[in-house]
Amino acid sequence: MNLSEMVQAGLDRRSATPEQALEILRSPDEMTMPIVAAAGRLRRRFFANRVRLNYLVNLKSGLCPEDCSYCSQRLGSRADIMTYSWADPAVVDDAVEAGIAGGARRVCLVASGHGPSRRDVDRVSGLVSDLKTRHPDVEVCVCLGFVDDEKAATLHEAGADAYNHNANTSRSHYESICSTHTYQDRMDTVEVLKRNGLSPCSGVIAGMGETDEELVDVIWDLRRHGVDSVPVNFLLPFEGTPLQGQGRELTPQRCLRILSMVRFVHPDAEVRAAAGREMHLRTMQPVALEVVNSIFLGDYLTSEGAAGAKDLDMIRDAGFVPEGQTGATDRAPAEEPTEVPIRHRGIGSQLPVNA
Ligand code: SF4
C-alpha cells in the first residue's frame, strides 16, 4: 500500500481506488495508526482543526411501516424505545435550543416512516423556517424518508440546507437488510435532493454482515452520487431487532480503518462518526477525530450518545475546535511540517526550547 500516493491523490481531491480502499480495510492492526495519520493529512487540508457538531431532534419515533432490520423503529420491532407521533413544537424548540446552546452548528430534524405526507412536509417546513429565523447561522438538515421533487423543493424553500437519506449498505447486500424498499429507491431519493438544492447527506451502517467489498462498493457509490456529507454509523445491535448480537467484528482498530477508508474515498467531503462510536470506538474516539471532521453531539435517535460536555472536552483535549468557536480555523497547516530548530540550552535549563 502506497500511503503517500494516496495522500497526494486525496490532496488533489481524487478518491482512492476501490482496490486501495480494500487494502486499507484489510490492513493489520499495526498499520492502523500510519493509515490514520495519512488520512489525517486530508482531514486537516480540507477542514483544518474544525469539528462540526450536529444535534439530532427526533420529531417522530417508532411506528415505522418499513422493515430495515437494523432499526429499532421498524415494523414489528420489540426494542425498548419511546414511540410517539410528531412531538409538540414547543418540545422540539426546547430541544433545538439546548443543542445550539451546547455548540451544535447543524440541527438534524428526523422523523421515522417511509416518507412524509404533504401535511407532514408543511409541518416540518414551519419548524425549519422558525428555526432559521431564530438562528440564521445554524444549518438545518431534515431526515424524513422518501421524498419527491415537490416535497424536497418545499423543504428547501422553507430554509432547509441539507437532507439526510442514508444508503446504509451496498446494493448487493440491501435485500438482506430490508424487504420493503430497495437500494435504488434510496439512491433515486439522493438524486431528488440534489435536483432541489438540498445538500445530500448519505452514509452507511457498518457491521451488518456486509463484506469488505460491499462496504467499499457503497462508499464508492456515494462518491459517484456526489454526496456532501457521509455519516458512518457502527451497528448498534438493538435487542428486539433481527440484527441483535451482530457487529462483533467492529473492533476500535477496524472502525478507525473504516473511517480512514471513507476519508480516502471522500477526501474533501464531511465525514461524520455517527451512531455507535461510543460502543465500538470506545477509548479511541479522540483518535477518530484525526480522520472525521464531524460528530453528533449527545443523544442519537433511540439510544444515548456521550453527554455533550464530555464530547466538547474530548474535542479540545484532542487539539480540535468546534466549528464557530474561538480558535476554529479554515487555514490548513502547511503540508510539509516546518522543521523547528531546537536550540540546546544545557541540562537543567528551565527555558522552553522555542522561547
Ligand atoms: S431506518 Fe427509517 S425507514 Fe427504516 S425502519 Fe427505521 S425509521 Fe423506518
Side-chain angles (χ1 to χ4, degrees):
M1 178 166 43
N2 188 335
L3 282 173
S4 316
E5 197 182 287
M6 287 162 63
V7 169
Q8 196 47 58
L11 294 173
D12 296 340
R13 299 179 191 268
R14 286 183 287 117
S15 301
T17 64
E19 293 73 29
Q20 288 170 326
L22 258 184
E23 261 192 284
I24 291 174
L25 289 184
R26 291 180 173 166
S27 293
D29 283 354
E30 59 267 28
M31 276 303 292
T32 302
M33 286 306 157
I35 289 169
V36 165
R41 288 175 65 187
L42 305 181
R43 182 255 194 265
R44 295 216 182 235
R45 162 61 71 92
F46 297 111
F47 301 97
N49 67 353
R50 290 174 283 126
V51 177
R52 170 174 291 179
L53 299 176
N54 304 266
Y55 192 75
L56 274 182
V57 179
N58 210 359
L59 302 177
K60 179 169 173 262
S61 178
L63 313 166
C64 184
E66 302 290 310
D67 72 351
C68 309
S69 51
Y70 52 85
C71 181
S72 55
Q73 310 187 64
R74 74 193 290 270
L75 180 72
S77 167
R78 287 175 289 105
D80 182 21
I81 58 162
M82 273 211 294
T83 57
Y84 51 85
S85 181
W86 297 108
D88 186 88
V91 174
V92 173
D93 282 353
D94 286 351
V96 165
E97 295 305 324
I100 294 171
R105 300 291 287 179
R106 179 181 272 202
V107 172
C108 308
L109 301 175
V110 184
S112 60
H114 173 84
S117 66
R118 186 64 236 181
R119 201 161 150 239
D120 296 337
V121 167
D122 291 341
R123 180 200 314 264
V124 176
S125 295
L127 292 171
V128 171
S129 80
D130 286 352
L131 200 165
K132 288 298 267 191
T133 306
R134 294 198 308 275
H135 300 283
D137 296 340
V138 170
E139 288 187 357
V140 181
C141 179
V142 282
C143 175
L144 309 174
F146 297 99
V147 280
D148 57 20
D149 285 286
E150 194 196 336
K151 290 172 181 170
T154 304
L155 290 162
H156 183 237
E157 277 157 28
D161 300 283
Y163 195 105
N164 167 262
H165 195 65
N166 288 335
N168 292 318
T169 196
S170 70
R171 188 183 293 277
S172 59
H173 191 50
Y174 211 86
E175 274 182 25
S176 17
I177 62 137
C178 179
S179 71
T180 47
H181 60 263
T182 65
Y183 181 84
Q184 190 59 46
D185 293 334
R186 289 202 168 240
M187 288 301 109
D188 289 347
T189 306
V190 168
E191 292 303 313
V192 169
L193 309 177
K194 284 161 58 181
R195 277 203 297 274
N196 290 283
L198 292 163
S199 166
C201 168
S202 185
V204 295
I205 305 174
M208 299 198 292
E210 70 282 352
T211 62
D212 288 346
E213 285 85 352
E214 285 169 333
L215 197 47
V216 168
D217 195 45
V218 58
I219 294 300
W220 245 94
D221 205 27
L222 290 171
R223 185 68 171 172
R224 271 184 223 106
H225 279 276
V227 301
D228 295 327
S229 172
V230 189
V232 181
N233 300 277
F234 300 107
L235 179 70
L236 288 167
F238 286 103
E239 271 185 45
T241 65
L243 296 191
Q244 77 178 66
Q246 283 207 31
R248 291 203 181 91
E249 76 279 16
L250 293 173
T251 62
Q253 297 284 324
R254 177 159 170 86
C255 293
L256 289 172
R257 289 195 296 274
I258 291 172
L259 292 171
S260 300
M261 181 274 280
V262 177
R263 171 59 69 205
F264 274 112
V265 176
H266 294 258
D268 52 358
E270 174 182 336
V271 177
R272 185 181 315 151
R277 74 174 155 89
E278 295 86 353
M279 177 177 181
H280 295 290
L281 279 160
R282 303 198 281 276
T283 56
M284 299 304 269
Q285 289 181 71
V287 179
L289 292 173
E290 291 292 334
V291 178
V292 306
N293 62 297
S294 174
I295 62 169
F296 281 112
L297 188 65
D299 296 353
Y300 301 107
L301 288 178
T302 59
S303 66
E304 281 186 13
K310 240 168 101 188
D311 283 340
L312 295 174
D313 287 346
M314 173 181 77
I315 290 167
R316 293 270 179 195
D317 289 351
F320 294 95
V321 183
E323 263 181 18
Q325 296 191 9
T326 313
T329 177
D330 288 334
R331 202 155 32 89
E335 188 41 42
E336 290 306 326
T338 322
E339 242 178 82
V340 180
I342 299 178
R343 281 167 281 155
H344 182 68
R345 293 179 183 277
I347 295 168
S349 167
Q350 297 300 301
L351 291 169
V353 288
N354 58 351

